Amino acid sequence: MLEEVVLTIDEFEAVRLADLENLYQEEAAEKMKVSRPTFGRIIDSAHKKVAEALVTGKALKIEGGEFEMAAMRKFKCYECNHSWELPYGIGRPENCPSCKSGNIHRAQEDKGCASGVGRVQGSCCRGTQQKQKRKRNMTEAF
Ligand SMILES: [Zn+2]
C-alpha cells in the first residue's frame, strides 16, 4: 500500500489556478472567492503536500476525489491535439496546458464518437455516454 498525501479540493484548485493557469494570487483568490492571504495559505499548504508526494514518493490524492474524477469535462487543443480533463465546477480553461494555444474546444462526447485524432480509446461508446450524463446531472445539482 502506497502512503497518501491528501490534497483538499481548495488546494487542488489553488494549484490549478496559480501554477497551471499562471494567475496572480490576487486573481486566483478572486476566482476562488477567498481573501488573498487565505489563498496564500491554501497554495502554501498545497505546494508542501505536492512536494512531499514528489520527494517521498507518496500517492497524491484529492479529497472527494472519486466524485471529482467521475465528473470530468474533456477539452481538446486544435493546435497540438493535446486533450485533457478538468472536473466540473471550475472554470473553462483559457489555454492549452501543453502549447498555450487559445484554440481549444470542449470535446464533444455527447454527440457520439468524436472523429479524428486525439480520441481516447475505449471511452467512445454509448454505454459510457449514458453514465456520463447521469454523473453530469448529479454534478450540476451539486
Ligand atoms: Zn495545444
Side-chain angles (χ1 to χ4, degrees):
M1 278 296 280
L2 210 56
E3 274 192 87
E4 287 174 345
V5 179
V6 180
L7 216 61
T8 66
I9 294 290
D10 279 355
E11 288 166 343
F12 175 76
E13 175 70 349
V15 167
R16 191 183 69 79
L17 292 172
D19 298 334
L20 212 62
E21 295 197 0
N22 294 314
L23 295 185
Y24 289 109
Q25 291 207 356
E26 284 78 7
E27 295 175 279
E30 205 170 292
K31 280 205 176 191
M32 288 179 66
K33 300 187 174 25
V34 296
S35 70
R36 159 75 183 76
T38 300
F39 183 85
R41 275 194 297 275
I42 295 172
I43 194 84
D44 276 354
S45 165
H47 282 159
K48 282 203 184 87
K49 288 180 182 180
V50 171
E52 185 189 348
L54 276 176
V55 172
T56 63
K58 290 179 184 171
L60 200 56
K61 198 181 160 188
I62 318 297
E63 187 184 70
E66 229 168 286
F67 179 78
E68 288 297 312
M69 297 308 272
M72 300 295 268
R73 292 177 300 178
K74 205 174 248 168
F75 294 93
K76 190 178 171 204
C77 171
Y78 281 18
E79 295 296 330
C80 69
N81 276 326
H82 178 67
S83 66
W84 70 103
E85 292 183 332
L86 288 176
Y88 281 89
I90 58 180
R92 181 196 156 90
E94 304 278 332
N95 299 100
C96 168
S98 174
C99 71
K100 307 288 174 207
S101 160
N103 191 13
I104 56 169
H105 298 265
R106 176 82 179 274
Q108 302 282 318
E109 282 175 299
D110 285 350
K111 293 175 184 164
C113 300
S115 56
V117 224
R119 188 175 108 196
V120 181
Q121 248 176 352
S123 71
C124 189
C125 69
R126 298 209 169 271
T128 57
Q129 278 175 36
Q130 283 298 331
K131 239 184 281 167
Q132 291 232 336
K133 246 173 221 165
R134 211 164 49 232
K135 280 172 191 157
R136 195 158 301 166
N137 290 338
M138 266 172 53
T139 323
E140 273 161 15
F142 174 70

